[in-house]
């Protein structure tokens, strides 16, 4: 690979970029909200764990979804992924902290999961049957395994990417491709079971085959929307203007549209099949989500999580303009939270709509801290993969200007 | 496109062999159609297909004379070979649409040399698939009742039944695929019209090319139309097999009622389709010496798609097995243990061997680079996907909720003769296509030639 050594400093986060102030604000919001949440946790531990679970799953989607897209990119390639790669790597490097943030949930197991109560196991034959899989020890071991897999994948992806930047050559490229292939399978597999463990098992009697895939699609969409927002803040700035150009945002817009359709496809598949079967062991899950106020939530999801973004993203102009695309992505990030809330909370409050101030403060705490951490991860690294063979011509051009 | 294995110096453009020009591409592809007489191999292949087509016709006539009682279906297994073959054939068709539409939208250049015959394969597979549901109605002469039309009987089909959605999905799929294939053929028909010297073929190709002169305006409108058709076909790739999966999943039969079915069926369809494309492409490129057009790189990419979709299918099997246990539903649990250890267990494990174990060979670059090896894996998958549908249909029905009505199911001679007959029908159509139409898109292949590269510094 005959290329002149690029000036790394030109590709670092510029001093005046507003991500710096975003980080400061996020950190302050995060710390203040964390204090509030801690206060709430003392006074109302049950509500705290519920709110914390939703907020946690949302931040996990940002970190783990980044890893998922990163691995997918290493399999299929494409410039859309090359421009996001460094941000995705930064996102996936938050996974060790996310593993740490999972620990409170282990303490909340009794508040969250019926199957963790010995008397429930003793009196309910279905729970007794499942206790082979759903028990506190195995649950903890599995969570440890998931995080081990995810953190290993994220670490390797970042390490080998750095090696590529140092001029690692084809051997490193090959290694990254292998990581992508194996990693995509591992990610989909582990996340499927994580979704069953952490969320589906709240309704311990209920089951759905596609549930894991709905989570995977949701995580990828969340991370994609977030990364579109981040990337849009660099559009039109030297030395990125040639690289983060309208064509790339067009690609990202198409991908976001595709992920929205995948999410809708999975969600519709599950709904239609369960509605049609109309079995007493399956429909309660939907009944508790489509009554007592939750039904408006459900309708809002159809309109704002699918119909509107679908129609808006059909427009070529919206996709090619970083600002308008980022606006759509911001809206999607809000509706991703709504979707998670609708997936989790009705299990605790079937048929009765509920919203607690802790829901907001837990989300602000974890979200604020996550964003601060994410920006921190961006800071020490170049913003573009300088060793990426696919970007080589544009990078050389960008460095000259 | 795969960026890490970007073409090295030894393979400057792996999508087409070295030394080709506009002229040589046209010569090579059109000569297969325009040569005097067909090679002996073509006659043998077509002959076998033709004989089997006749077997299909005999089986159909006997069926119409005697009724569906000549098949193995009975209560409790009321769905047998007819639905298995329908799903198998319709799944095979999906690769053609995926290659022609989705890969076009994704700007994947490697679709260029394989799209034409893959689309043809789609059409012929859909034709074979369409036979089964119609004859399974028992009174195929009343098949038009499937369509909702105002009638004096005041009868409407049940719009809540996915079987009726199938009617719309499959007929839309067939017509859009046909249109897409035909539109793609127009410029090439004009080439054949201009090249052939005989008067009758000249007239026929002339009419079919719709007065194509290759003017700039023609090309401009043509490209727009082709892209629009690609956009139209894309949802069809997903919708058809999704609805086929609904045929099973909306019921409450254990083993069918699974929310994973839609994506799992779509992946299975693409998986089976790519296996069939490879099954056809590998002998074809050898016999007609098309290695320059359908290169090792093409086979490699197709193998990768097959591996990826095969792994998704594996994910489906795994979820099915896990959820059967996790559901704690005795019927679900029994269905799965009956599949794995019951009377059809050998078929189940054979299916796992064909669909999951055999494709693991595709992880190795060596296997993907060996046409024979790829062909063998593709054959395994062809068989495996048929067995998968057999397992889904037979094991769920033969032992359902009521043990007193349990029974075994097997196809009769007439089931097999009809199925093998449709294979012959498919093969004969394919041979006719190869003989009379360009099996690789001439005008699209030309865009792969180095001369076609747009030199921006010259503009």
């Amino acid at each position: 690979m005959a290329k002149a050594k690029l000036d790394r400093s030109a590709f670092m986060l510029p001093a005046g970029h507003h991500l710096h102030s975003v980080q400061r604000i996020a950190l302050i919001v995060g710390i203040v909200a964390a204090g509030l949440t801690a206060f709430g946790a003392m006074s109302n531990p049950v509500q705290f764990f519920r709110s914390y679970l939703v907020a946690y799953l949302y931040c996990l989607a940002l970190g783990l979804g980044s890893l998922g897209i990163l691995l997918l990119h290493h399999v299929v390639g494409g410039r859309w992924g090359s421009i996001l790669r460094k941000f995705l790597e930064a996102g996936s490097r938050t996974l060790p902290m996310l593993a740490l943030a999972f620990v409170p949930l282990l303490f909340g197991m009794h508040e969250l999961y019926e199957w963790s109560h010995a008397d429930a196991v003793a009196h309910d034959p279905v729970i007794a049957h499942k206790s082979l899989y759903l028990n506190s020890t195995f649950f903890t071991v599995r969570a440890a395994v998931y995080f081990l897999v995810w953190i290993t994948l994220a670490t390797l992806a970042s390490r080998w990417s750095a090696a590529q930047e140092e001029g690692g050559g084809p051997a490193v490229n090959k290694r990254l491709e292998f990581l992508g292939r194996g990693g995509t399978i591992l990610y989909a597999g582990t996340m499927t079971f994580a979704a069953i463990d952490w969320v589906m098992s709240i309704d311990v009697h209920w089951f759905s085959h596609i549930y894991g895939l709905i989570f995977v699609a949701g995580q990828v969409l969340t991370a994609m929307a977030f990364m579109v927002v981040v990337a849009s803040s660099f559009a039109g700035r030297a030395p990125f203007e040639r690289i983060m150009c309208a064509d790339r945002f067009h690609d990202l817009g198409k991908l976001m549209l595709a992920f929205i359709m995948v999410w809708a496809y999975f969600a519709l598949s599950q709904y239609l099949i369960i509605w049609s079967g109309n079995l007493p062991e399956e429909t309660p899950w939907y009944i508790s989500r489509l009554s007592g106020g939750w039904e408006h939530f459900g309708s809002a999801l159809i309109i704002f999580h699918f119909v509107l973004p679908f129609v808006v993203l059909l427009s070529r102009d919206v996709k090619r303009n970083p600002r308008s695309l980022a606006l759509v992505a911001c809206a999607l990030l809000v509706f991703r939270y709504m979707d998670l809330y609708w997936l989790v909370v009705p299990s605790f409050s079937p048929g009765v709509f509920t919203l607690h101030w802790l829901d907001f403060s837990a989300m602000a705490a974890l979200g604020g801290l996550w964003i601060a951490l994410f920006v921190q991860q961006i800071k020490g690294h170049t913003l573009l993969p300088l060793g990426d063979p696919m970007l080589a011509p544009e990078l050389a051009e960008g460095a000259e200007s | 496109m795969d960026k890490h294995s970007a073409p090295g110096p030894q393979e400057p453009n792996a999508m087409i062999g070295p030394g080709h020009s506009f002229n040589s591409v046209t010569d090579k592809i059109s000569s297969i159609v325009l040569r005097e007489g067909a090679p002996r191999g073509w006659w043998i292949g077509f002959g076998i297909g033709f004989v089997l087509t006749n077997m299909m016709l005999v089986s159909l006539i006997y069926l119409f004379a005697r009724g569906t009682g000549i098949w193995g279906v009975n209560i409790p297994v009321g769905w047998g070979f007819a639905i298995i073959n329908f799903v198998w054939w319709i799944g095979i068709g999906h690769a053609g649409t995926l290659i022609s539409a989705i890969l076009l939208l994704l700007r994947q250049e490697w679709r260029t040399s394989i799209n034409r015959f893959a689309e043809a394969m789609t059409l012929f597979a859909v034709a074979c698939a369409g036979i089964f549901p119609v004859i399974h109605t028992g009174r195929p002469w009343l098949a038009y009742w499937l369509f909702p039309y105002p009638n004096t009987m005041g009868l409407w089909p049940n719009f809540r039944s996915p079987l009726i959605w199938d009617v719309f999905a499959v007929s839309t799929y067939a017509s859009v695929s046909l249109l897409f294939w035909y539109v793609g053929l127009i410029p090439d028909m004009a080439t054949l019209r201009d090249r052939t010297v005989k008067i009758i073929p000249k007239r026929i190709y002339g009419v079919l090319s719709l007065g194509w002169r290759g003017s700039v305006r023609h090309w401009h409108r043509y490209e727009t139309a082709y892209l629009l058709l690609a956009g139209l076909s894309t949802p069809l790739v997903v919708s058809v097999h999704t609805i086929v999966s609904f045929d099973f999943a909306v019921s409450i039969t254990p083993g069918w009622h699974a929310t994973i079915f839609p994506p799992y069926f779509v992946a299975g369809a693409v998986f089976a389709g790519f296996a069939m494309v490879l099954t056809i492409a590998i002998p074809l490129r050898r016999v007609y010496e098309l290695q320059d057009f359908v290169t090792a790189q093409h086979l490699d990419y197709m193998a990768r798609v097959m591996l990826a979709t095969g792994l998704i299918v594996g994910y489906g099997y795994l979820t099915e097995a896990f959820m059967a246990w996790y559901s704690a539903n005795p019927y679900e649990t029994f269905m799965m243990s009956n599949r794995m250890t019951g009377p059809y267990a050998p078929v189940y494990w054979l299916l796992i061997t064909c669909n999951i174990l055999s494709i693991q060979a595709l992880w190795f670059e060596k296997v993907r680079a060996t046409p024979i090896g790829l062909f063998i894996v593709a054959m395994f998958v062809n068989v495996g996907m048929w067995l998968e549908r057999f397992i889904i249909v037979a094991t769920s029905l033969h032992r359902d909720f009521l043990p007193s009505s349990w029974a075994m199911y097997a196809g009769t001679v007439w089931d097999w003769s009809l199925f093998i007959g449709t294979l012959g029908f498919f093969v004969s159509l394919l041979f006719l296509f190869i003989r009379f139409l360009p099996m690789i898109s001439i005008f699209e292949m030309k865009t792969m030639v180095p001369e076609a590269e747009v030199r921006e510094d010259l503009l």
Side-chain angles (χ1 to χ4, degrees), chain A residues 10 18 45 66 75 99 102 110 137 143 147 168 176 194 200 213 217 238 242 263 279 289 329 336 368 370 395:
Chain A
H18 50 247
S66 300
V75 182
F102 183 77
H110 275 274
T137 320
F147 279 110
L176 279 170
M200 196 165 98
L213 286 185
R242 290 284 177 84
W263 172 86
L279 291 172
R289 276 161 184 76
R336 281 304 308 139
W370 189 86
L395 282 171

mmCIF file of all heavy atoms in Angstrom, chain A residues 10 18 45 66 75 99 102 110 137 143 147 168 176 194 200 213 217 238 242 263 279 289 329 336 368 370 395:
data_model
loop_
_atom_site.group_PDB
_atom_site.id
_atom_site.type_symbol
_atom_site.label_atom_id
_atom_site.label_comp_id
_atom_site.label_asym_id
_atom_site.label_seq_id
_atom_site.Cartn_x
_atom_site.Cartn_y
_atom_site.Cartn_z
ATOM 1 N N ALA A 10 -4.663 16.370 11.706
ATOM 2 C CA ALA A 10 -5.708 17.027 10.918
ATOM 3 C C ALA A 10 -7.042 16.310 11.066
ATOM 4 O O ALA A 10 -8.096 16.872 10.770
ATOM 5 C CB ALA A 10 -5.295 17.081 9.455
ATOM 6 N N HIS A 18 -18.522 21.553 18.591
ATOM 7 C CA HIS A 18 -19.462 21.608 19.710
ATOM 8 C C HIS A 18 -19.657 20.273 20.433
ATOM 9 O O HIS A 18 -20.376 20.219 21.406
ATOM 10 C CB HIS A 18 -20.804 22.227 19.301
ATOM 11 C CG HIS A 18 -21.419 21.645 18.077
ATOM 12 N ND1 HIS A 18 -21.569 22.361 16.905
ATOM 13 C CD2 HIS A 18 -21.906 20.429 17.826
ATOM 14 C CE1 HIS A 18 -22.129 21.601 16.004
ATOM 15 N NE2 HIS A 18 -22.347 20.435 16.523
ATOM 16 N N PRO A 45 -37.580 1.845 45.546
ATOM 17 C CA PRO A 45 -36.661 0.946 44.832
ATOM 18 C C PRO A 45 -37.323 0.189 43.678
ATOM 19 O O PRO A 45 -36.712 -0.021 42.649
ATOM 20 C CB PRO A 45 -36.167 -0.003 45.924
ATOM 21 C CG PRO A 45 -37.069 0.183 47.078
ATOM 22 C CD PRO A 45 -37.665 1.542 46.981
ATOM 23 N N SER A 66 -23.848 -0.049 18.040
ATOM 24 C CA SER A 66 -22.631 0.408 17.361
ATOM 25 C C SER A 66 -21.753 -0.774 17.009
ATOM 26 O O SER A 66 -21.239 -0.876 15.883
ATOM 27 C CB SER A 66 -21.829 1.349 18.261
ATOM 28 O OG SER A 66 -22.572 2.475 18.597
ATOM 29 N N VAL A 75 -17.994 -7.038 7.427
ATOM 30 C CA VAL A 75 -18.361 -8.145 6.529
ATOM 31 C C VAL A 75 -18.669 -7.618 5.130
ATOM 32 O O VAL A 75 -18.142 -8.114 4.135
ATOM 33 C CB VAL A 75 -19.596 -8.920 7.051
ATOM 34 C CG1 VAL A 75 -19.912 -10.083 6.123
ATOM 35 C CG2 VAL A 75 -19.359 -9.419 8.447
ATOM 36 N N ALA A 99 -21.222 -2.712 31.003
ATOM 37 C CA ALA A 99 -21.213 -3.939 31.802
ATOM 38 C C ALA A 99 -21.291 -3.582 33.289
ATOM 39 O O ALA A 99 -22.013 -4.216 34.058
ATOM 40 C CB ALA A 99 -19.952 -4.741 31.500
ATOM 41 N N PHE A 102 -24.614 -2.601 34.404
ATOM 42 C CA PHE A 102 -25.576 -3.699 34.482
ATOM 43 C C PHE A 102 -25.700 -4.208 35.922
ATOM 44 O O PHE A 102 -26.740 -4.755 36.295
ATOM 45 C CB PHE A 102 -25.136 -4.839 33.555
ATOM 46 C CG PHE A 102 -26.092 -5.986 33.514
ATOM 47 C CD1 PHE A 102 -27.275 -5.883 32.783
ATOM 48 C CD2 PHE A 102 -25.839 -7.161 34.202
ATOM 49 C CE1 PHE A 102 -28.183 -6.928 32.742
ATOM 50 C CE2 PHE A 102 -26.749 -8.217 34.162
ATOM 51 C CZ PHE A 102 -27.916 -8.090 33.437
ATOM 52 N N HIS A 110 -34.913 -9.451 42.044
ATOM 53 C CA HIS A 110 -36.151 -9.837 42.744
ATOM 54 C C HIS A 110 -37.303 -8.896 42.452
ATOM 55 O O HIS A 110 -38.460 -9.301 42.423
ATOM 56 C CB HIS A 110 -35.901 -9.909 44.252
ATOM 57 C CG HIS A 110 -35.343 -11.219 44.672
ATOM 58 N ND1 HIS A 110 -36.145 -12.307 44.961
ATOM 59 C CD2 HIS A 110 -34.058 -11.635 44.792
ATOM 60 C CE1 HIS A 110 -35.375 -13.325 45.264
ATOM 61 N NE2 HIS A 110 -34.111 -12.962 45.161
ATOM 62 N N THR A 137 -28.456 -17.820 39.390
ATOM 63 C CA THR A 137 -27.051 -18.122 39.110
ATOM 64 C C THR A 137 -26.789 -18.137 37.606
ATOM 65 O O THR A 137 -25.887 -17.458 37.103
ATOM 66 C CB THR A 137 -26.684 -19.503 39.700
ATOM 67 O OG1 THR A 137 -27.311 -19.625 40.957
ATOM 68 C CG2 THR A 137 -25.193 -19.665 39.804
ATOM 69 N N ALA A 143 -25.159 -13.436 31.741
ATOM 70 C CA ALA A 143 -24.881 -12.009 31.522
ATOM 71 C C ALA A 143 -23.376 -11.783 31.439
ATOM 72 O O ALA A 143 -22.897 -11.036 30.566
ATOM 73 C CB ALA A 143 -25.493 -11.186 32.647
ATOM 74 N N PHE A 147 -21.365 -10.187 28.142
ATOM 75 C CA PHE A 147 -20.491 -9.011 28.185
ATOM 76 C C PHE A 147 -19.072 -9.369 27.802
ATOM 77 O O PHE A 147 -18.383 -8.589 27.143
ATOM 78 C CB PHE A 147 -20.546 -8.359 29.566
ATOM 79 C CG PHE A 147 -21.754 -7.486 29.741
ATOM 80 C CD1 PHE A 147 -22.780 -7.852 30.593
ATOM 81 C CD2 PHE A 147 -21.876 -6.314 29.011
ATOM 82 C CE1 PHE A 147 -23.905 -7.064 30.724
ATOM 83 C CE2 PHE A 147 -23.003 -5.508 29.143
ATOM 84 C CZ PHE A 147 -24.020 -5.894 30.002
ATOM 85 N N GLY A 168 -0.834 -1.627 8.880
ATOM 86 C CA GLY A 168 -0.801 -3.075 9.076
ATOM 87 C C GLY A 168 -0.861 -3.894 7.800
ATOM 88 O O GLY A 168 -0.414 -5.024 7.764
ATOM 89 N N LEU A 176 -9.708 -8.215 10.289
ATOM 90 C CA LEU A 176 -10.926 -7.457 10.583
ATOM 91 C C LEU A 176 -12.140 -8.098 9.903
ATOM 92 O O LEU A 176 -13.231 -8.148 10.462
ATOM 93 C CB LEU A 176 -10.776 -6.015 10.116
ATOM 94 C CG LEU A 176 -10.008 -5.098 11.063
ATOM 95 C CD1 LEU A 176 -9.703 -3.775 10.396
ATOM 96 C CD2 LEU A 176 -10.799 -4.873 12.343
ATOM 97 N N ALA A 194 -29.893 -12.552 25.406
ATOM 98 C CA ALA A 194 -29.937 -11.446 26.367
ATOM 99 C C ALA A 194 -31.340 -10.837 26.396
ATOM 100 O O ALA A 194 -31.856 -10.495 27.465
ATOM 101 C CB ALA A 194 -28.899 -10.392 26.002
ATOM 102 N N MET A 200 -37.816 -10.476 27.973
ATOM 103 C CA MET A 200 -38.941 -11.374 27.737
ATOM 104 C C MET A 200 -39.326 -12.125 29.008
ATOM 105 O O MET A 200 -40.502 -12.388 29.254
ATOM 106 C CB MET A 200 -38.595 -12.365 26.623
ATOM 107 C CG MET A 200 -39.796 -13.069 26.057
ATOM 108 S SD MET A 200 -39.402 -13.881 24.505
ATOM 109 C CE MET A 200 -39.133 -15.514 25.092
ATOM 110 N N LEU A 213 -34.745 -11.009 17.557
ATOM 111 C CA LEU A 213 -34.472 -10.263 16.329
ATOM 112 C C LEU A 213 -35.060 -8.859 16.400
ATOM 113 O O LEU A 213 -34.483 -7.914 15.875
ATOM 114 C CB LEU A 213 -35.039 -10.994 15.118
ATOM 115 C CG LEU A 213 -34.286 -12.242 14.665
ATOM 116 C CD1 LEU A 213 -34.885 -12.785 13.381
ATOM 117 C CD2 LEU A 213 -32.814 -11.941 14.457
ATOM 118 N N ALA A 217 -32.771 -5.618 15.751
ATOM 119 C CA ALA A 217 -33.136 -4.587 14.775
ATOM 120 C C ALA A 217 -33.266 -3.233 15.458
ATOM 121 O O ALA A 217 -32.802 -2.217 14.941
ATOM 122 C CB ALA A 217 -34.439 -4.962 14.076
ATOM 123 N N ALA A 238 -13.792 21.195 6.913
ATOM 124 C CA ALA A 238 -12.506 20.664 6.471
ATOM 125 C C ALA A 238 -11.934 19.841 7.610
ATOM 126 O O ALA A 238 -12.107 20.213 8.769
ATOM 127 C CB ALA A 238 -11.567 21.815 6.129
ATOM 128 N N ARG A 242 -15.091 16.457 1.708
ATOM 129 C CA ARG A 242 -15.122 15.560 0.546
ATOM 130 C C ARG A 242 -15.580 14.157 0.928
ATOM 131 O O ARG A 242 -16.100 13.414 0.116
ATOM 132 C CB ARG A 242 -13.721 15.433 -0.064
ATOM 133 C CG ARG A 242 -13.237 16.680 -0.741
ATOM 134 C CD ARG A 242 -13.949 16.822 -2.083
ATOM 135 N NE ARG A 242 -13.547 18.054 -2.724
ATOM 136 C CZ ARG A 242 -12.429 18.157 -3.452
ATOM 137 N NH1 ARG A 242 -11.650 17.118 -3.602
ATOM 138 N NH2 ARG A 242 -12.125 19.307 -3.994
ATOM 139 N N TRP A 263 -37.380 -3.270 11.203
ATOM 140 C CA TRP A 263 -38.030 -3.231 12.523
ATOM 141 C C TRP A 263 -39.547 -3.412 12.368
ATOM 142 O O TRP A 263 -40.165 -4.212 13.071
ATOM 143 C CB TRP A 263 -37.725 -1.885 13.207
ATOM 144 C CG TRP A 263 -38.509 -1.688 14.465
ATOM 145 C CD1 TRP A 263 -38.169 -2.129 15.702
ATOM 146 C CD2 TRP A 263 -39.786 -1.038 14.588
ATOM 147 N NE1 TRP A 263 -39.155 -1.781 16.593
ATOM 148 C CE2 TRP A 263 -40.162 -1.116 15.946
ATOM 149 C CE3 TRP A 263 -40.651 -0.402 13.695
ATOM 150 C CZ2 TRP A 263 -41.347 -0.583 16.429
ATOM 151 C CZ3 TRP A 263 -41.831 0.131 14.176
ATOM 152 C CH2 TRP A 263 -42.168 0.034 15.526
ATOM 153 N N LEU A 279 -54.187 -17.219 20.946
ATOM 154 C CA LEU A 279 -54.044 -18.226 22.002
ATOM 155 C C LEU A 279 -53.944 -17.552 23.371
ATOM 156 O O LEU A 279 -53.310 -16.497 23.495
ATOM 157 C CB LEU A 279 -52.774 -19.052 21.776
ATOM 158 C CG LEU A 279 -52.795 -19.977 20.568
ATOM 159 C CD1 LEU A 279 -51.410 -20.575 20.359
ATOM 160 C CD2 LEU A 279 -53.825 -21.080 20.748
ATOM 161 N N ARG A 289 -50.650 -4.400 26.451
ATOM 162 C CA ARG A 289 -50.017 -3.280 25.758
ATOM 163 C C ARG A 289 -50.980 -2.492 24.878
ATOM 164 O O ARG A 289 -50.583 -1.510 24.266
ATOM 165 C CB ARG A 289 -48.870 -3.810 24.884
ATOM 166 C CG ARG A 289 -47.595 -3.974 25.656
ATOM 167 C CD ARG A 289 -46.627 -4.902 24.972
ATOM 168 N NE ARG A 289 -45.454 -5.081 25.831
ATOM 169 C CZ ARG A 289 -45.436 -5.844 26.914
ATOM 170 N NH1 ARG A 289 -46.516 -6.506 27.276
ATOM 171 N NH2 ARG A 289 -44.344 -5.946 27.665
ATOM 172 N N ALA A 329 -33.233 11.625 12.291
ATOM 173 C CA ALA A 329 -32.568 10.685 13.197
ATOM 174 C C ALA A 329 -32.857 11.047 14.653
ATOM 175 O O ALA A 329 -33.101 10.158 15.481
ATOM 176 C CB ALA A 329 -31.067 10.688 12.930
ATOM 177 N N ARG A 336 -37.411 5.544 19.481
ATOM 178 C CA ARG A 336 -36.778 4.301 19.926
ATOM 179 C C ARG A 336 -37.010 4.128 21.433
ATOM 180 O O ARG A 336 -37.248 3.039 21.908
ATOM 181 C CB ARG A 336 -35.271 4.310 19.642
ATOM 182 C CG ARG A 336 -34.855 4.005 18.226
ATOM 183 C CD ARG A 336 -35.371 2.673 17.712
ATOM 184 N NE ARG A 336 -35.068 1.583 18.610
ATOM 185 C CZ ARG A 336 -35.905 0.582 18.906
ATOM 186 N NH1 ARG A 336 -37.103 0.557 18.366
ATOM 187 N NH2 ARG A 336 -35.563 -0.362 19.725
ATOM 188 N N GLY A 368 -26.884 10.820 29.816
ATOM 189 C CA GLY A 368 -25.895 11.878 29.935
ATOM 190 C C GLY A 368 -24.499 11.313 30.126
ATOM 191 O O GLY A 368 -23.546 11.690 29.435
ATOM 192 N N TRP A 370 -23.502 8.354 29.390
ATOM 193 C CA TRP A 370 -23.067 7.587 28.206
ATOM 194 C C TRP A 370 -22.517 8.524 27.136
ATOM 195 O O TRP A 370 -21.455 8.255 26.549
ATOM 196 C CB TRP A 370 -24.225 6.757 27.643
ATOM 197 C CG TRP A 370 -23.726 5.812 26.583
ATOM 198 C CD1 TRP A 370 -23.206 4.563 26.784
ATOM 199 C CD2 TRP A 370 -23.638 6.061 25.167
ATOM 200 N NE1 TRP A 370 -22.810 4.026 25.586
ATOM 201 C CE2 TRP A 370 -23.049 4.909 24.579
ATOM 202 C CE3 TRP A 370 -23.971 7.131 24.350
ATOM 203 C CZ2 TRP A 370 -22.809 4.808 23.203
ATOM 204 C CZ3 TRP A 370 -23.738 7.031 22.977
ATOM 205 C CH2 TRP A 370 -23.164 5.872 22.409
ATOM 206 N N LEU A 395 -9.028 10.513 1.390
ATOM 207 C CA LEU A 395 -8.229 10.976 2.515
ATOM 208 C C LEU A 395 -7.039 11.784 2.019
ATOM 209 O O LEU A 395 -6.723 12.837 2.566
ATOM 210 C CB LEU A 395 -7.749 9.782 3.336
ATOM 211 C CG LEU A 395 -8.794 9.166 4.261
ATOM 212 C CD1 LEU A 395 -8.272 7.878 4.844
ATOM 213 C CD2 LEU A 395 -9.161 10.132 5.363
#
